[in-house]
Amino acid sequence: MRTPSRSLAGLLADLAHGPGGLAGLGQIDDAQMRAVGEADALAFSLYAGGRPEAVWWTRPDHGALDLEDAQYVVGEGPTVEAAETGRPVLVPDICHMPQRRWPLLLADPDVGTKLRALIALPVHVEGEPVGVLAAYRRVPDLPSREAIRALKAIAREIGSLLERAPLEVPMLHRAVVHQAAGVLADACGLGLEEAADQLLAQIFAARLGLIDGSRRILRQLRAQH
């Protein structure tokens, strides 16, 4: 078993010399990554237009996946904004954000119950945003400037990982969401994008979690056909 890196330099070296793509990210000691970034949880999402797709996260995630999934349902939030603009989004306390910034996300009473502060950093390849590294904190305060610089350095190295293995297909956290959208498209004669929008609208209206809601709708669709 590899000895965990003891510094940011060691962590970056591990990323630089590991296998390309998400395989390299998966080999990193995520406890060390949380430590250098002064974060309680981290998540990484791929972006190719549309909604960012969560493909890696630390364990425990302390609710980071729930917050990422909530953003996926409503199509707005810090991870979505960082992906679409290609610029970092820093949130010292999500409970005190003006609701007009992300009105649907911030209307959710569960937002801010587990995680308060976050930084969403776009990951670029050849100048284009291809993903977002999100660092979450349970306390309402951003990490130190040193930690933010460390997270930005990690985000840059993740971009290099992706550049070395651009065609790697990750295991998808939201595979059941895409499966349910496909079944809905087939059942209703819809295009896949329209079916996905309808699926997310149903989940949002019923105030269901993304994964549990998709499973429930998938069961209902299969029972009807």
Side-chain angles (χ1 to χ4, degrees):
M1 186 173 181
R2 299 180 66 188
T3 302
S5 303
R6 295 183 180 275
S7 65
L8 174 61
L11 183 59
L12 295 177
D14 287 347
L15 286 166
H17 296 107
L22 297 173
L25 186 56
Q27 287 191 4
I28 297 301
D29 184 300
D30 62 42
Q32 182 67 17
M33 197 180 296
R34 292 197 308 272
V36 299
E38 298 176 10
D40 292 301
L42 293 144
F44 175 70
S45 299
L46 285 173
Y47 177 68
R51 288 171 166 84
E53 191 73 52
V55 293
W56 175 89
W57 54 93
T58 55
R59 297 171 177 82
D61 72 284
H62 293 299
L65 277 179
D66 291 338
L67 190 46
E68 292 284 336
D69 285 348
Q71 295 179 69
Y72 188 89
V73 171
V74 299
E76 64 181 30
T79 293
V80 176
E81 184 174 314
E84 291 178 347
T85 66
R87 296 192 296 270
V89 178
L90 282 69
V91 181
D93 188 352
I94 199 165
C95 293
H96 291 161
M97 290 294 292
Q99 189 168 350
R100 64 181 179 275
R101 177 104 178 242
W102 303 306
L104 295 177
L105 178 69
L106 296 177
D108 185 342
D110 291 333
V111 170
T113 58
K114 295 179 181 178
L115 296 165
R116 299 285 294 273
L118 66 99
I119 299 173
L121 298 172
V123 172
H124 295 87
V125 171
E126 296 182 353
E128 294 296 323
V130 297
V132 176
L133 176 66
Y136 291 95
R137 286 163 60 86
R138 289 182 287 181
V139 295
D141 189 20
L142 291 174
S144 66
R145 291 182 180 180
E146 181 181 4
I148 293 173
R149 286 195 294 269
L151 289 167
K152 288 181 176 180
I154 291 168
R156 287 193 296 271
E157 201 58 57
I158 291 173
S160 297
L161 285 178
L162 298 177
E163 196 168 14
R164 297 205 299 272
L167 300 180
E168 181 188 3
V169 179
M171 293 289 291
L172 295 181
H173 160 62
R174 301 184 183 118
V176 67
V177 181
H178 303 298
Q179 186 180 9
V183 173
L184 181 62
D186 184 63
C188 299
L190 301 172
L192 192 56
E193 185 175 348
E194 184 180 1
D197 288 342
Q198 285 201 17
L199 175 73
L200 296 175
Q202 290 180 41
I203 289 170
F204 178 76
R207 296 187 56 79
L208 299 170
L210 177 62
I211 304 303
D212 289 344
S214 296
R215 287 174 177 153
R216 181 183 299 186
I217 292 170
L218 184 58
R219 287 195 300 269
Q220 292 171 348
L221 288 167
R222 286 172 169 169
Q224 293 168 7
H225 296 84

